[in-house]
Amino acid sequence: MKKLCSMLVMIVLITALVGCGESADKKVDSSAADEGKITIWAWDPNFNIAIMEQAKEIYLKDNPKVEIEIVDYAKGDLEQKLHTNLASGTTEGLPDIVLIEDYNAQKYLQSYPGSFEDLTGKLKHSDFAPYKVGLMTLDEKVYGVPFDSGATGFYYRTDYLEQAGYSAADLENITWDQYIEIGKNVLDKTGKHMLALDANDGGLMRVMMNSAGSWYFDESGKLNVANNKAIQESARIYKELFDSGIAKPTSGWGEWVGALNTGDVASVTTGVWITGSVKAEASQSGLWAVAPTPRLDLPGAVNASNLGGSSWYVLSSSKSTKTAVDFLNTIYGSNVDFYQDILVNRGAVGSYIPSQSGSAYTKEDEYFGGQKVYSDFSEWMQKIPSISYGLYTYEADAAIFGVMPEIYNGGSIEEALKKAEEQVKSQMQ
């Protein structure tokens, strides 16, 4: 609890304080003094901020009278500040454009109706990956500008897999059960674990669920945990990964990435954003390749999925709405060269489809044995099932991984997931 409850208590207290000191309907937008200035909030100086700085530089060449201020927050601080301002009803201090993680998009849109600009018809959303557009759509209106993709892939060490007797063709479009059998042979023939895995991290489970077109909530937003076949199957796979001995237990990002770079594990299945971390170990150049994501053995499951990703939103309180929308449309909604540059310089795979036929996307990558990895990711991205993340992804994530130790110890998957579902229900009330 009780992160959500704590947040709500905080919001109530701040709302009360605002009510005492300032009228909630007093609209003071200090972030945009006129139509010529826009303020942008984002996180991650090496990725989102750096890319937005590049977008700013391009836009200002043709629009020199516009002023753009980019504010770098820690992700948690940005989310708390945005929630606090929107819940209190005051727009003072809000930016004109804000970056929102895709998992949280519907929470903002449904919790604060009218706070975000309806961008339907203001840019060509059909040019973006459909699953990204679906995440920012509410009541048939589209509220955001899709940004980076978390399209996933099955990165593997070609030398270890070949030593175990597998070719690239053997790794195409496999199930997770096949992956486990391959992992057992890799462990037997090479002594290497097949993957590194934190027993308390839900990232891989979200990859599995998404590939089956399922989530913790159904399309109507109703909680769907206890009887969710995709979650049940994912929990079974998690247990089998550890029971089989092919998973190297790790804790935290550093150990997880370290297992890749030291050569301790033969593969990793995650978002395309891991590419830079994999390539950070120069001595392994030419020893990696990427195959489609393994799928659950369920009807309708596909060998494509997503993990993470974020998008840009314009606040309705902005006094520079036209400028903000024009900026996003000009750069993120139509500039193919921009997407080529951020792919090469930042490893960012955007979800703007017209950019994905450019030379940067079709270039052979020697680190991956000459594979055109970004061309492959672009193809897989368009196969990712479009789902609704609902409002409480992280709360459900935490509840399920609170009961996973029962499953690891041989307890009933169904009974454990019932407990998790009851916990999430209590947080939603």
Side-chain angles (χ1 to χ4, degrees), residues 154 156 160-162 164-172 174-190 192-194 246 266-267 294:
F154 164 25
Y156 64 92
Y160 296 164
L161 270 294
E162 287 172 4
Y166 295 100
S167 67
D170 296 322
L171 307 176
E172 289 282 322
I174 63 174
T175 66
W176 279 105
D177 286 308
Q178 291 173 310
Y179 174 92
I180 290 170
E181 291 306 310
I182 293 169
K184 291 177 182 177
N185 286 327
V186 168
L187 182 61
D188 181 55
K189 299 289 178 55
T190 70
K192 302 293 184 182
H193 291 91
M194 188 63 170
I246 68 169
S267 74

Side-chain angles (χ1 to χ4, degrees), residues 201-241:
D201 188 280
L204 191 58
M205 182 173 286
R206 278 179 254 132
V207 171
M208 294 175 184
M209 279 193 298
N210 203 154
S211 70
S214 185
W215 204 248
Y216 302 129
F217 304 87
D218 63 20
E219 289 299 316
S220 67
K222 183 180 178 182
L223 188 61
N224 181 29
V225 171
N227 297 313
N228 187 318
K229 297 297 182 186
I231 299 177
Q232 293 174 355
E233 185 70 355
S234 299
R236 181 186 71 78
I237 294 293
Y238 255 72
K239 176 174 167 52
E240 183 61 24
L241 289 172

Side-chain angles (χ1 to χ4, degrees), residues 157-400:
R157 284 283 298 262
T158 55
D159 51 343
Y160 296 164
L161 270 294
E162 287 172 4
Q163 190 177 339
Y166 295 100
S167 67
D170 296 322
L171 307 176
E172 289 282 322
N173 301 323
I174 63 174
T175 66
W176 279 105
D177 286 308
Q178 291 173 310
Y179 174 92
I180 290 170
E181 291 306 310
I182 293 169
K184 291 177 182 177
N185 286 327
V186 168
L187 182 61
D188 181 55
K189 299 289 178 55
T190 70
K192 302 293 184 182
H193 291 91
M194 188 63 170
L195 75 163
L197 185 61
D198 186 334
N200 299 309
D201 188 280
L204 191 58
M205 182 173 286
R206 278 179 254 132
V207 171
M208 294 175 184
M209 279 193 298
N210 203 154
S211 70
S214 185
W215 204 248
Y216 302 129
F217 304 87
D218 63 20
E219 289 299 316
S220 67
K222 183 180 178 182
L223 188 61
N224 181 29
V225 171
N227 297 313
N228 187 318
K229 297 297 182 186
I231 299 177
Q232 293 174 355
E233 185 70 355
S234 299
R236 181 186 71 78
I237 294 293
Y238 255 72
K239 176 174 167 52
E240 183 61 24
L241 289 172
F242 286 111
D243 287 352
S244 63
I246 68 169
K248 176 184 174 66
T250 56
S251 178
W253 172 268
E255 282 190 18
W256 184 64
V257 173
L260 310 178
N261 295 149
T262 58
D264 285 349
V265 298
S267 74
V268 58
T269 298
T270 193
V272 62
W273 35 259
I274 198 66
T275 302
S277 296
V278 172
K279 296 174 72 172
E281 182 50 58
S283 66
Q284 296 175 10
S285 179
L287 299 179
W288 285 88
V290 192
T293 301
R295 69 179 188 281
L296 294 177
D297 190 11
L298 293 175
V302 298
N303 291 97
S305 189
N306 179 77
L307 182 64
S310 55
S311 300
W312 301 104
Y313 292 78
V314 176
L315 276 295
S316 297
S317 58
S318 169
K319 291 183 178 179
S320 303
T321 302
K322 291 182 179 178
T323 304
V325 173
D326 183 66
F327 166 68
L328 291 174
N329 200 6
T330 301
I331 307 300
Y332 290 89
S334 58
N335 192 321
V336 171
D337 291 340
F338 167 71
Y339 281 104
Q340 300 289 304
D341 287 343
I342 63 174
L343 175 67
V344 172
N345 296 322
R346 300 289 171 185
V349 177
S351 49
Y352 182 61
I353 295 172
S355 71
Q356 295 169 0
S357 59
S359 59
Y361 279 83
T362 57
K363 183 180 180 181
E364 295 181 351
D365 191 325
E366 293 309 315
Y367 194 94
F368 294 100
Q371 182 179 353
K372 298 176 181 178
V373 288
Y374 292 119
S375 177
D376 288 336
F377 273 107
S378 298
E379 177 185 341
W380 301 332
M381 183 194 309
Q382 295 178 52
K383 299 177 181 177
I384 297 171
S386 182
I387 59 174
S388 172
Y389 290 144
L391 305 186
Y392 300 95
T393 285
Y394 285 121
E395 289 80 0
D397 211 64
I400 288 174

Side-chain angles (χ1 to χ4, degrees), residues 117-133:
E117 192 72 6
D118 176 10
L119 300 182
T120 310
K122 296 180 180 177
L123 73 161
K124 194 176 179 182
H125 282 104
S126 60
D127 277 345
F128 293 89
Y131 85 96
K132 290 281 287 191
V133 178

